[in-house]
Amino acid sequence: MIRCLAIDDEPLALQQLVTYIEKIPFLELAAQCQSALEARKYLEQETVDAIFCDINMPDLNGMDFVKSLQYPPMVVFTTAYSEYAVEGFKVNAVDYLLKPFGLQDFQRAANRIKERMEPSANGQQPTANSQDGTLFVKTEYRIVKITIADIRYIEGMSEYLKIYIEGESKPIITLLSMKKMEERLRVGDRRSGMRFPDYFMRIHRSYIVNLNKIQEVNKNRIIMDADTYLPIGDLYKEAFQRYLDTKFLGK
């Protein structure tokens, strides 16, 4: 399913978007918002694959809202003003629906979103290059290159991962399982006591950490920086303690 966010300040127009999304079998309505500011707050906590967004809205218009997103999802703009079409495509919009539009026009836009999503739906996985220490992941409709050593930690969220990178204020979000990411990073086996990874260890069902980025260990928490504390899960304590024992100096 493709998770969608509907945004329009006009209640009737917003309800039309909601109704059309619910009519398309491969779309799932994640939320509906009556302003870009409300949508921004939602996206700070949740991820979606696509947004259907009106342009002319008070406080913050849809075009400026999309431009402000560091990792924007796929966008379909909706507006009554045709002069926005060219600007819309400049921000790589998937489609542009001119009001009033019908279900057939909406279906066309939905199909375009589905076409861009299909590499993920078909099971495309990140690829790692062991020669130069890089990783390629799909985020929204872009393929992003990541230097593996720059990954601070990875957080699992249902079917998505948040990859936190050194020097970046926001994580890269990708549709992938923790298990697949573990395989790509060759994370060590916590149960068998096999060799520890050069960089990464799973410390919790929701976290993989770059061991080189740890600043401090305090009881059952790993401190990455002043604002980031990661829990150590019960199933992972023994393996993490063995790692610490190999690095510990003193009694």
Side-chain angles (χ1 to χ4, degrees), residues 141-250:
Y141 50 91
R142 299 176 296 130
I143 304 295
V144 177
K145 182 179 180 180
I146 299 172
T147 299
I148 295 174
D150 288 342
I151 297 174
R152 298 179 64 232
Y153 65 96
I154 298 165
E155 179 181 4
M157 297 179 60
S158 186
E159 298 177 346
Y160 291 85
L161 296 181
K162 287 184 176 182
I163 304 173
Y164 292 83
I165 306 295
E166 191 76 42
E168 298 291 338
S169 59
K170 292 185 178 181
I172 293 172
I173 300 173
T174 186
L175 181 62
L176 194 69
S177 69
M178 288 286 277
K179 180 177 175 57
K180 288 295 183 183
M181 181 57 79
E182 281 186 289
E183 292 172 356
R184 294 295 175 176
L185 294 175
R186 298 181 177 88
V187 172
D189 190 322
R190 61 175 172 81
R191 294 161 299 181
S192 67
M194 293 172 63
R195 68 170 183 83
F196 292 103
D198 294 331
Y199 290 119
F200 296 95
M201 178 177 285
R202 190 164 182 175
I203 59 162
H204 188 275
R205 63 184 179 85
S206 298
Y207 294 102
I208 295 172
V209 66
N210 184 335
L211 299 169
N212 293 334
K213 303 296 184 182
I214 295 173
Q215 289 190 2
E216 185 178 334
V217 179
N218 188 337
K219 296 182 179 179
N220 293 324
R221 298 187 303 175
I222 289 176
I223 301 173
M224 304 299 291
D225 55 49
D227 300 315
T228 307
Y229 297 75
L230 305 181
I232 303 172
D234 290 340
L235 292 176
Y236 303 85
K237 287 179 182 177
E238 183 179 348
F240 184 70
Q241 185 60 53
R242 289 200 302 270
Y243 165 74
L244 287 182
D245 289 344
T246 67
K247 300 292 184 179
F248 191 76
L249 292 179

